[in-house]
Amino acid sequence: MPHIPVMVNEILTFLDPKADQNFIDCTLGDGGHAKAILAHTAPNGRLLGIDADSEALEASSVQRPASRYGERLITVNANFRDLAAIVKENKFGPVHGILLDLGFSTSTLERERGFSFMKDEVLDMRFNPKTGIRAAEIVNGWNQQQLTELLEEYGEEGLAREIANKIVAGRKTRPIVTTKQLVEIILMAYREKLARKRHPERSEGSRYIKKGRDSSPRAQNDSVWQRVPWIGGIHPATKTFQALRIAVNDELNALQETLPQALEVLQSGGRFAVLGFHSLEDRIVKQFFKDWTDVKMKLLTKKPLVPTQEEIRVNSQTRSAKLRVVEKI
Ligand SMILES: C[S@@+](CC[C@H](N)C(=O)[O-])C[C@H]1O[C@@H](n2cnc3c(N)ncnc32)[C@H](O)[C@@H]1O
């Protein structure tokens, strides 16, 4: 399924691309935003499209056919944390606008690198599979305390300690190398919690739950064990997968390093839009914009813009999106 670009109209309104201007899309992905920007900057405006995932770059809709935009399009397979160097190497400028659409796309989920908890795949999660550590190395190598902190900090996971304990216990039997193995472990932690809620007399140390599965006669008919307990509409593995993905790709540090570089490469009057999808990244963007407002930039979105109800209805993955935009002074 192709990725549906998020908040395109709002991004076009705020970046305000015009004929012959140059833009940087730091997260090219399927190219939905890039295409829209290129349409507005015709006939001679250029776009520098960056993506850490070489498969994403190759498959991007802006590359089909390859000659479509000619010299107007430059693509670079790199991490956006090297933004200033990439701009310099490609002698790209003046830069009128920059877009960061954080995280992963629908196509990323289809790359069979373990981004999805709904499929059984290798536990990898690297945007760029040529470099860095795989999720399986963290899951099998970090100690219980490190795993707990990871799930708490990057996943804001309420059952961090329980899941970490189960990972450490589970990997003693055999290494955890697939998404399915990990999801089963997470479900076990959630199911135990639900069972304790329903049957408070069963402590974690009870003889039934000790082995990770409730084998009591009563539990055989207990629906808690039969189905995935979606909590508040969220799959129990969501937060653990988010935490691992952030750690594997060092996402928060990459973002932190990129924000000042974006300001540096923008020309005066140029605009910078950041689309975030969870509170950890939005907090970093919000703070950075706050620190530099009226010093190096004007804040164009006092409050973050969010998708319309209609957009969320059509594309539920946008529901947590927040868009913040500034203009360089
Ligand atoms: C949400 S998608 C972008 C979708 C795109 N705006 C579109 O309209 O199709 C994010 C993309 O950024 C890439 N990405 C994530 N972190 C990156 C990083 N640090 N450096 C470069 N690319 C990154 C991912 O591989 C993914 O393709």
Side-chain angles (χ1 to χ4, degrees), residues 252-267:
L252 302 183
N253 288 324
L255 174 61
Q256 197 103 51
E257 287 169 27
T258 307
L259 298 175
Q261 295 180 55
L263 268 197
E264 182 191 321
V265 302
L266 258 186
Q267 71 155 18

Side-chain angles (χ1 to χ4, degrees), residues 3-6 8 25-34 50-54 56-57 60-61 76 78-81 99-108 111 113 115 127-128 249-251 254-255 258 275 277:
H3 177 74
I4 306 173
V6 178
V8 179
D25 185 342
C26 295
T27 47
L28 185 70
D30 289 15
H33 292 111
I50 301 169
D51 205 295
D53 183 346
S54 59
L57 274 189
S60 184
S61 66
V76 180
N79 196 304
F80 56 60
R81 75 196 312 164
L99 172 64
L100 255 183
D101 174 13
L102 296 166
F104 60 94
S105 72
T106 316
S107 309
T108 313
R111 297 217 203 288
R113 275 189 235 133
F115 288 99
F127 286 131
N128 178 355
N249 296 291
D250 196 20
E251 287 181 34
L255 174 61
T258 307
L275 199 48
F277 291 85

Side-chain angles (χ1 to χ4, degrees), residues 221-236:
N221 299 319
D222 190 335
S223 64
V224 141
W225 298 104
Q226 317 294 325
R227 59 187 166 82
V228 174
W230 288 66
I231 314 284
I234 296 175
H235 189 287

Side-chain angles (χ1 to χ4, degrees), residues 288-299 326 329:
F288 179 81
F289 283 3
K290 197 172 157 212
D291 290 347
W292 294 102
T293 290
D294 299 332
V295 183
K296 287 191 175 183
M297 57 169 89
K298 273 195 299 195
L299 194 58
V326 289
I329 297 175

